[in-house]
Amino acid sequence: MERTDVILSCTYPSEYPSVLPEITLRCAYLSRAQQTQLHTDLNAYLMEHCLGEVCVLSAVEWVKDNLQLFINKSLAAAPTPKKESSSPRPQETFSRLWIYSHHIYNKTKRKNILEWSKELGLSGFSMPGKPGIVCVEGLHSACEEFWSRVKVLTWKKIMIRHREDFPLDGQCGDNRTVESIDSRRKFTGFEEAMFDPHGNRGNHMDLGQLYQFLNEKGCCEIFQMYFGIEGR
């Protein structure tokens, strides 16, 4: 069988092996969605069979045993070329996702959030600590791709607290669409935002400063959605 290269990265939390390690898989033969599914199935296997035990070798063996099945599915699902249709291209949508996490401490997760948002052309911000907040905005498809990657990582709790969707002027690929996207953005680029970290572990942010930040961006109503109180 032809050799298949797979990159498997592993980050060990301090509680390992009581909790699973953070495992990331990369394979050029698989689409992003299939890599996500492979990661999900691997985590399910480790959760059922290896929780509480040293499990990295088990993870490697599972990938060896199952990778070819995913590659075969990928080849079978490859779309056949279609003739271009004269029908109009679909209208694009601009989305903004407000994501809530119980906490964001892990440096690998924080790095992934920054890199993936840049890769997908998304603007917004992430606030590490407890709680953790992430806002991404851009093309609907890019936001959904970002969420599909983030949600399969190991979290105590993560959810989309609120979402905003706006139809864009023009059609997919139009210059007017690009202009319309930029006009909808409330953030310039993507940044990790820190608001006077405090607490024993430096993991709590000044919520008053967060409110002022959101207010400057025209998003002050989001504060109440996250915390159930009006900001000042």
Side-chain angles (χ1 to χ4, degrees), residues 98-155:
W98 295 92
I99 300 169
Y100 166 89
S101 173
H102 179 271
H103 63 265
I104 304 176
Y105 300 146
N106 185 278
K107 290 182 179 179
T108 300
K109 290 177 184 173
R110 291 164 63 180
K111 182 180 178 183
N112 285 340
I113 289 169
L114 291 169
E115 290 181 347
W116 291 342
S117 59
K118 181 178 180 181
E119 174 192 338
L120 296 168
L122 299 173
S123 49
F125 76 98
S126 64
M127 185 187 82
K130 182 180 180 182
I133 295 175
V134 180
C135 172
V136 289
E137 59 179 8
L139 283 176
H140 174 80
S141 56
C143 288
E144 291 300 316
E145 174 63 22
F146 178 87
W147 173 239
S148 73
R149 299 184 195 182
V150 167
K151 69 180 180 180
V152 298
L153 301 177
T154 305
W155 302 94

Side-chain angles (χ1 to χ4, degrees), residues 37-119:
Q37 186 60 51
L38 179 66
H39 183 273
T40 300
D41 291 356
L42 171 59
N43 263 355
Y45 170 80
L46 295 178
M47 184 69 71
E48 181 177 353
H49 298 283
C50 305
L51 188 62
E53 302 176 3
V54 176
C55 64
V56 174
L57 289 179
S58 298
V60 171
E61 290 302 316
W62 187 92
V63 172
K64 286 181 179 179
D65 293 340
N66 291 274
L67 179 62
Q68 192 59 45
L69 296 175
F70 280 82
I71 292 176
N72 291 342
K73 288 180 183 178
S74 177
L75 295 174
T80 55
K82 295 181 180 180
K83 294 182 179 179
E84 288 196 14
S85 170
S86 58
S87 59
R89 289 171 292 185
Q91 186 179 44
E92 276 284 10
T93 301
F94 180 91
S95 295
R96 185 177 298 112
L97 305 184
W98 295 92
I99 300 169
Y100 166 89
S101 173
H102 179 271
H103 63 265
I104 304 176
Y105 300 146
N106 185 278
K107 290 182 179 179
T108 300
K109 290 177 184 173
R110 291 164 63 180
K111 182 180 178 183
N112 285 340
I113 289 169
L114 291 169
E115 290 181 347
W116 291 342
S117 59
K118 181 178 180 181
E119 174 192 338

Side-chain angles (χ1 to χ4, degrees), residues 165-183:
D165 296 301
F166 308 94
L168 294 171
D169 296 332
Q171 297 169 341
C172 180
D174 238 317
N175 287 334
R176 286 181 299 168
T177 302
V178 176
E179 295 172 1
S180 186
I181 291 172
D182 290 340
S183 70

Side-chain angles (χ1 to χ4, degrees), residues 12-15 102-107 109-110 128-130 156 194 196-205:
Y12 298 95
S14 58
E15 299 87 353
H102 179 271
H103 63 265
I104 304 176
Y105 300 146
N106 185 278
K107 290 182 179 179
K109 290 177 184 173
R110 291 164 63 180
K130 182 180 180 182
K156 182 170 184 179
M194 310 282 280
D196 190 20
H198 59 280
N200 293 335
R201 297 175 58 186
N203 58 357
H204 293 280
M205 300 295 169

